[in-house]
Amino acid sequence: MIKNIGWLTTLGLLPLLGALVIAALSPKSVAAAKRIAFGTTLAVAATAIAMAVKFQIDNVDFQFVEVHSWIPSFGINYAVGVDGIALVLILLSVLLAPVVVLAGWNESHGGRWSAKTFYILLLVLETMMIGVFSATDVFLFYVFFEAMLVPVYFLIGGYGTGKRSAAAVKFLIYSLFGGLLMLAAIIGLYVLSGKQGGHTFDINALSHLKMSSTTENFLFLGFFIAFAIKAPLWPFHTWLPDAAESATPGTSVLLLGVLDKVGTFGMIRYCLTLFPHATRTFTPVILVLAVISIIYGAFLAIGQTDFKRLIAFTSISHFGFITMGIFAMTTQGNSGATLYMFNHGFSTAALFLVAGWMASRRGSSKIADFGGLQRVTPMMAWAFFIAGMSSLALPGLSSFVSEFLVLVGTYTRYPVAAVVGSFGIVLASLYVLIPVQRALHGPTTPGNESLPDLNLREKFAIAPVLAVIIFLGFYPSPLLKVINPAAAHTIAQVGFTDPAPRIAQVGK
Amino acid sequence: MNAANYLYVSALLFTIGAIGVVVRRNAIVAFMCVELMLNAANLAFVTFARINGNLDGQVIAFFTMVVAACEVVVGLAIIVTIYRSRRSASVDDASLLKR
Amino acid sequence: MTSTAVVYTSNSLVYLIALPLFGAAVLLLAGRRSDRWGHLLATALSAGSFGIGLYQLSQMLGHSNDQRVVTQKLFSWISVGTFNVDAGLTLDQLSICFVLLITGVGTLIHIYSIAYMSHDLDRRRFFAYLNFFIAAMLLLVLGDSYLNLYVGWEGVGLASYLLIGFWNQKPTYATAAKKAFVANRVGDLGLSLAIMITFATMGTVSFAGVQEHVGQASTGALTAIGIMLLIAATGKSAQFPLQAWLGDAMAGPTPVSALIHAATMVTAGVYLIVRSNFIFNAAPAAQLAVAIIGAITLLFGAIIGMAKDDIKKALAASTMSQIGYMVLGAGLGPAGYAFAIMHLLTHGFFKAGMFLGAGSVMHGMDDEVNMRRYGGLRKFMPITFATFGLGYLAIIGVPPFAGFYSKDKIIEIAFNSGGTKGWILGTAALLGAGITAFYMTRVVILTFAGNKRWDEKAHPHESPFLMWAPMVLLAIGSVASGFLFTHGNSLRNWLAPVVEPQLVHQSELLSPAVVSILALLLVLVGVGIAVVKYLRREVPEVAPENVSVFTKIARRDLLQDDFNEAVFMRPGQALTRALVTADNAVVDGAVRGVGRLTVGTGNALRETQTGFVRSYALWILIGAVGLIAAIWVVAQ
């Protein structure tokens, strides 16, 4: 039926193919499963980079578009395509996947099920991630959005530590609740589109719908709450620390680094473009929530005693920044937020992977159990330190560019939010330096004397991540060039233009 | 004769049956009361068929009889089995539906 | 840069930064393999950077004074919408002063450290950090926009953090490093807000662009920018109220204290203010705030300096006080910028020299820092004594040493800034000079004069050549630099294109001669009191406890830490604990509550499922009757 398979479909099918190969292996061939999984993720990453090279930067329409009829009676299509924002997030997903496989080479051991299952789940998840970012049909997006929960649920519940079952159930139910609201809103859109020239789920067509402001507000909220849970935004955040604490480090990287981005990505792609008026109505409330997230997440991070929970709370603070940038409605804010999503993925990956190695060596992820690691394991300490510096947005590292763009972009339109939010940068220094001091500095505490330093595999896993963090800190242009047109297009769609400098306003 | 009188009889029978199901403990009696309710319904159907002058009600009455026959077979079998194992046909002695 | 200025481009500016950055990268990546030659490479690269700086200076001298600006654009760094920032460098008359100070003093301190750190297992890492610091500091002064400056600004903060915590196995040192970083971050918050306001107001963040548009901006916005820049400066330059970290920063190895926490990094705030002169000139309120902060800090630091027994902490308090002078000078507007920079440069020489001297003393005294355990060291360390003494004469402002020229000028301009403001600022500065004389004399007497108060185990000895040679060079600077900078108004004229000093003479409240005489008198009084108190009397080896409450407060750094702990740290910790509890109990409690509610409802409803056929039958009957009743009601 499908004669020519496009780039995005190929990209999505590759991991599935890998999963099928692994499924055909005998249960005992663990090593082969790992190698195939790693090879598959590498191949996907290479394909994605090849695709990104062909991306036309100046074109603001969706590219690599494929449309095939799926359920014609409801107007549902298999429709995929990417703009700059989606492309960057797909790149993030496919680049992190091989890192996660390599870094967590032994994560699948000791799980409830076999290592084979672990890698099958991981690869299926990769397909879902690619799908969710490239879908241009709202129904297709919804399917990926919900189906993505399944592999994550099993990854947390089957291979995690501690209260993994409870955490997995909390994650699943919380996300499903949001998904349900979104489903209701999608059905609402569908009904509206039926009244205005034919049922469709096409995002471009839906963005031209006319609706009363009440309807628009309700539909907006349906989408927004789902995304706010996913992102997560205060006060919908409490599933994240539990999930991150229980999941394996690799799963946590994908969870915090990629899956949560679906929330912020959804805000840009669906909330902003489908409901521009409601966006304007709710912006003040959302900015308040975003600023609360920044400050609240930072304070909570300072108060944590467990590395994994700490990193989860830092992410809540960072997602506050991203949301603030999105709803600042300036190109700087929007581009900065998208770049922030990419950079946060890498810096959190670095933090979580190193914290995971520390925890697996020490048998505990309590900060108090560590001490003086810089003497014992200098490489690991350096990796953690650089990742931490990236988390606190040190200039010269990638997060700085995005965080500053978000702040500048927000300030030009909403100065108060930007000023209050920027207190997060002071708190960030505390939540990074306090664990650095406790775990890396000071005398080596009992139980840490003979921890081994990073091995070759771990060095190969972390080095590219840190290299990306440093490189993009000095030269973010390649990504910004891809993001800028899409961000500007989004802002224009909502009907905003960047505020002119105040001196120019006086001139008028 | 007024057709409505048949309906009154049907309602009376149905009520007797319903009360019987609720108040009697013996499973056989309760079962017979269910049959009584079914037949009350049949009577109503037939009456309506007569009033409306078509055969739909009679057809349904036949259906009901068939179903009732099946029910009697299965139901009695269950009651007999329970009686054999418990030496009692009181419905209040068995709360197996709870688990 | 006036409109007629000719701007040259150069491709070699980047190497100023690239050389030390390369050194840091090599030393950190090569690891233990570079232990044997790492320090030599680092020193050579720092010297190479100094060489490029000298070459640039010679190039600049070849042009007339309005054609000396050199720029280099490397690449477009951040470009989104109208927010465009290039990775660009600008070398002008102001930044070349800093380049030479940073690389010159930096190279001397590299050389000194080769010997000072020779027994440390991690010497290579130390040199890597030093090189990194040089690179970051050069970026700070060479960046052509506020955002580029910001990168260097935080880069030096990171270097400072790493070097203060160089011996972070000791928990107090690790805490000191963290404290410095966090205090600096508060300042950085000011800088980032300043950049945001600048962009929102003028649509650009480059120095040239801001200078061009500054006339069109409202005074309110400029005042806000100025205050934010001042907050940034107080963080980095340890000015009131963000000064508390500097004393603790002495946990770092002494060469670090000399380079970063005396000569270069802590003066970055002064650079920022002078660089932003066009903003402060247009925002008098912010400018006055700068002057007031400077005056407060110069007294604050001086008072702490009087009470410290730790030689490094006494010098750190002195640094704080001297930077107070610079900030005061910078806050006095066009008349003061050149002298703020002059004091910055002369201070770079004499304070670095004295810190190295203190390091030399510690080196000879088994790392003892308590001056009450020194005494009579001049016989054992003649070179250290001589160089330290020259620095001492320079800092207290004895003519013709460097401090006399730079400090007296700032006092004079403070007096002449007009009205009550002039009287208050001038008096504070004058008073500071007297106190400086007292505490510096105290340091010299306690260390080098009097009876020996050290253990028999200590064997004080002069430091090796590699250590005293830099000290000698810096001492020469302390002696000569003031005269050189003042001779024919050389530095003032040199900086004129950047800071545009008002050459029109202001109404004189006090003439230069009067100020000099007053200052010298106060210096004499300060020296005299110190001599009476510490040379004529026996110095106890343990600090006496029965002292006035003022001394006690001064020993506790004027309660700066107590204040910060009571106002920020403890409430912050309490808030954190409260939020952690609340998050668990309230926010997550609500989520768990919904879960429990669902399960509870299910359990309650389950009770109706008795399992008895007759109850089900009854329910069915009730339901059927209810249904019929409902239909009946509706049908009515």
Side-chain angles (χ1 to χ4, degrees), chain B residues 18 21-25 91-92 94-95 97-98, chain C residues 606-607 609-614 616-618 621:
Chain B
V21 170
V22 175
V23 302
R24 295 303 300 261
R25 292 202 181 107
V91 289
D92 285 1
S95 60
L97 284 174
K98 198 171 179 181
Chain C
R606 207 178 59 179
E607 294 303 315
Q609 304 287 308
T610 56
F612 294 110
V613 176
R614 288 198 300 151
Y616 294 142
L618 188 59
L621 185 68

Short mmCIF file of all heavy atoms in Angstrom, two decimals, chain B residues 18 21-25 91-92 94-95 97-98, chain C residues 606-607 609-614 616-618 621:
data_model
loop_
_atom_site.label_atom_id
_atom_site.label_comp_id
_atom_site.label_asym_id
_atom_site.label_seq_id
_atom_site.Cartn_x
_atom_site.Cartn_y
_atom_site.Cartn_z
N ALA B 18 -42.80 -10.94 42.61
CA ALA B 18 -41.70 -10.11 43.10
C ALA B 18 -41.58 -10.22 44.61
O ALA B 18 -40.47 -10.40 45.15
CB ALA B 18 -41.91 -8.66 42.69
N VAL B 21 -40.05 -13.52 45.56
CA VAL B 21 -38.60 -13.60 45.38
C VAL B 21 -37.89 -12.93 46.55
O VAL B 21 -36.89 -13.42 47.06
CB VAL B 21 -38.18 -12.95 44.05
CG1 VAL B 21 -36.68 -12.81 43.97
CG2 VAL B 21 -38.69 -13.76 42.89
N VAL B 22 -38.43 -11.79 46.99
CA VAL B 22 -37.73 -11.03 48.01
C VAL B 22 -37.89 -11.66 49.39
O VAL B 22 -36.95 -11.70 50.18
CB VAL B 22 -38.22 -9.57 48.00
CG1 VAL B 22 -37.60 -8.79 49.15
CG2 VAL B 22 -37.88 -8.92 46.68
N VAL B 23 -39.09 -12.18 49.70
CA VAL B 23 -39.31 -12.61 51.09
C VAL B 23 -39.07 -14.09 51.34
O VAL B 23 -38.75 -14.48 52.45
CB VAL B 23 -40.73 -12.23 51.60
CG1 VAL B 23 -40.95 -10.74 51.50
CG2 VAL B 23 -41.79 -13.00 50.82
N ARG B 24 -39.21 -14.98 50.36
CA ARG B 24 -39.06 -16.41 50.62
C ARG B 24 -37.60 -16.82 50.59
O ARG B 24 -36.82 -16.31 49.81
CB ARG B 24 -39.84 -17.22 49.58
CG ARG B 24 -41.35 -17.00 49.66
CD ARG B 24 -41.90 -17.32 51.05
NE ARG B 24 -41.67 -18.67 51.43
CZ ARG B 24 -42.59 -19.66 51.33
NH1 ARG B 24 -43.81 -19.37 50.88
NH2 ARG B 24 -42.31 -20.89 51.69
N ARG B 25 -37.26 -17.76 51.52
CA ARG B 25 -35.87 -18.16 51.60
C ARG B 25 -35.59 -19.41 50.76
O ARG B 25 -34.47 -19.60 50.31
CB ARG B 25 -35.48 -18.49 53.06
CG ARG B 25 -35.48 -17.25 53.91
CD ARG B 25 -34.61 -17.47 55.13
NE ARG B 25 -34.64 -16.25 55.96
CZ ARG B 25 -35.27 -16.18 57.10
NH1 ARG B 25 -35.88 -17.25 57.58
NH2 ARG B 25 -35.28 -15.07 57.79
N VAL B 91 -31.69 -19.67 50.28
CA VAL B 91 -30.83 -18.74 49.57
C VAL B 91 -29.98 -17.92 50.53
O VAL B 91 -28.94 -17.39 50.15
CB VAL B 91 -31.63 -17.80 48.66
CG1 VAL B 91 -32.18 -18.52 47.47
CG2 VAL B 91 -32.72 -17.10 49.46
N ASP B 92 -30.40 -17.79 51.78
CA ASP B 92 -29.61 -16.99 52.72
C ASP B 92 -28.38 -17.73 53.22
O ASP B 92 -27.50 -17.15 53.84
CB ASP B 92 -30.47 -16.58 53.93
CG ASP B 92 -31.43 -15.47 53.52
OD1 ASP B 92 -31.40 -15.11 52.32
OD2 ASP B 92 -32.18 -14.99 54.37
N ALA B 94 -26.26 -19.24 51.20
CA ALA B 94 -25.22 -19.18 50.18
C ALA B 94 -24.96 -17.73 49.78
O ALA B 94 -25.87 -17.02 49.36
CB ALA B 94 -25.63 -19.98 48.95
N SER B 95 -23.71 -17.27 49.99
CA SER B 95 -23.35 -15.93 49.51
C SER B 95 -22.13 -16.04 48.61
O SER B 95 -21.20 -15.25 48.68
CB SER B 95 -23.08 -14.99 50.69
OG SER B 95 -22.03 -15.49 51.45
N LEU B 97 -21.72 -15.44 45.60
CA LEU B 97 -21.51 -14.38 44.61
C LEU B 97 -20.53 -13.33 45.10
O LEU B 97 -19.99 -12.56 44.33
CB LEU B 97 -22.85 -13.72 44.28
CG LEU B 97 -23.77 -14.52 43.37
CD1 LEU B 97 -25.10 -13.82 43.26
CD2 LEU B 97 -23.14 -14.67 42.00
N LYS B 98 -20.32 -13.29 46.44
CA LYS B 98 -19.47 -12.25 46.99
C LYS B 98 -18.01 -12.45 46.59
O LYS B 98 -17.25 -11.52 46.48
CB LYS B 98 -19.61 -12.22 48.51
CG LYS B 98 -19.11 -10.90 49.12
CD LYS B 98 -19.46 -10.83 50.58
CE LYS B 98 -18.95 -9.53 51.18
NZ LYS B 98 -19.24 -9.44 52.59
N ARG C 606 -18.48 -1.52 47.82
CA ARG C 606 -18.36 -2.98 47.79
C ARG C 606 -19.26 -3.61 48.85
O ARG C 606 -19.73 -4.72 48.70
CB ARG C 606 -16.91 -3.36 48.03
CG ARG C 606 -16.53 -4.68 47.41
CD ARG C 606 -15.09 -4.97 47.65
NE ARG C 606 -14.82 -5.01 49.09
CZ ARG C 606 -13.63 -5.26 49.59
NH1 ARG C 606 -12.61 -5.45 48.78
NH2 ARG C 606 -13.44 -5.31 50.89
N GLU C 607 -19.47 -2.86 49.96
CA GLU C 607 -20.27 -3.39 51.05
C GLU C 607 -21.68 -3.77 50.59
O GLU C 607 -22.33 -4.63 51.18
CB GLU C 607 -20.35 -2.38 52.20
CG GLU C 607 -19.02 -2.11 52.86
CD GLU C 607 -18.40 -3.39 53.39
OE1 GLU C 607 -19.11 -4.20 54.02
OE2 GLU C 607 -17.19 -3.61 53.13
N GLN C 609 -22.48 -5.25 48.00
CA GLN C 609 -22.44 -6.54 47.31
C GLN C 609 -22.35 -7.65 48.35
O GLN C 609 -21.29 -8.14 48.67
CB GLN C 609 -21.23 -6.60 46.37
CG GLN C 609 -21.18 -5.48 45.37
CD GLN C 609 -22.21 -5.63 44.29
OE1 GLN C 609 -22.30 -6.68 43.66
NE2 GLN C 609 -23.03 -4.61 44.08
N THR C 610 -23.54 -8.02 48.90
CA THR C 610 -23.53 -8.98 50.01
C THR C 610 -23.34 -10.40 49.56
O THR C 610 -22.92 -11.25 50.33
CB THR C 610 -24.86 -8.91 50.77
OG1 THR C 610 -25.90 -9.13 49.81
CG2 THR C 610 -25.04 -7.57 51.42
N GLY C 611 -23.68 -10.68 48.33
CA GLY C 611 -23.60 -12.06 47.87
C GLY C 611 -24.91 -12.80 48.05
O GLY C 611 -25.05 -13.94 47.60
N PHE C 612 -25.88 -12.20 48.74
CA PHE C 612 -27.16 -12.87 48.94
C PHE C 612 -28.10 -12.55 47.80
O PHE C 612 -28.33 -11.38 47.49
CB PHE C 612 -27.77 -12.46 50.28
CG PHE C 612 -26.98 -12.93 51.44
CD1 PHE C 612 -26.27 -12.05 52.24
CD2 PHE C 612 -26.90 -14.31 51.73
CE1 PHE C 612 -25.53 -12.51 53.30
CE2 PHE C 612 -26.16 -14.76 52.79
CZ PHE C 612 -25.46 -13.86 53.58
N VAL C 613 -28.66 -13.59 47.21
CA VAL C 613 -29.49 -13.42 46.03
C VAL C 613 -30.67 -12.49 46.31
O VAL C 613 -31.02 -11.64 45.51
CB VAL C 613 -30.01 -14.79 45.55
CG1 VAL C 613 -30.96 -14.61 44.39
CG2 VAL C 613 -28.84 -15.65 45.16
N ARG C 614 -31.22 -12.65 47.51
CA ARG C 614 -32.43 -11.89 47.78
C ARG C 614 -32.15 -10.39 47.87
O ARG C 614 -33.00 -9.58 47.51
CB ARG C 614 -33.07 -12.38 49.08
CG ARG C 614 -33.70 -13.76 48.87
CD ARG C 614 -34.68 -14.07 49.94
NE ARG C 614 -34.05 -14.05 51.25
CZ ARG C 614 -34.68 -13.75 52.37
NH1 ARG C 614 -35.95 -13.40 52.32
NH2 ARG C 614 -34.06 -13.79 53.52
N TYR C 616 -29.88 -8.84 46.16
CA TYR C 616 -29.77 -8.38 44.78
C TYR C 616 -31.15 -8.20 44.16
O TYR C 616 -31.42 -7.22 43.47
CB TYR C 616 -28.97 -9.38 43.93
CG TYR C 616 -27.52 -9.48 44.32
CD1 TYR C 616 -26.86 -10.70 44.31
CD2 TYR C 616 -26.82 -8.35 44.71
CE1 TYR C 616 -25.54 -10.80 44.67
CE2 TYR C 616 -25.50 -8.45 45.08
CZ TYR C 616 -24.86 -9.67 45.07
OH TYR C 616 -23.57 -9.75 45.42
N ALA C 617 -32.01 -9.19 44.43
CA ALA C 617 -33.35 -9.14 43.86
C ALA C 617 -34.09 -7.89 44.34
O ALA C 617 -34.75 -7.18 43.56
CB ALA C 617 -34.13 -10.39 44.26
N LEU C 618 -33.89 -7.59 45.63
CA LEU C 618 -34.53 -6.40 46.18
C LEU C 618 -34.04 -5.15 45.48
O LEU C 618 -34.81 -4.26 45.11
CB LEU C 618 -34.24 -6.32 47.68
CG LEU C 618 -35.00 -5.24 48.44
CD1 LEU C 618 -36.50 -5.45 48.31
CD2 LEU C 618 -34.60 -5.23 49.90
N LEU C 621 -35.52 -4.82 42.17
CA LEU C 621 -36.90 -4.37 42.27
C LEU C 621 -36.97 -2.87 42.52
O LEU C 621 -37.70 -2.14 41.84
CB LEU C 621 -37.60 -5.13 43.41
CG LEU C 621 -39.09 -4.83 43.53
CD1 LEU C 621 -39.84 -5.38 42.32
CD2 LEU C 621 -39.66 -5.42 44.80
#
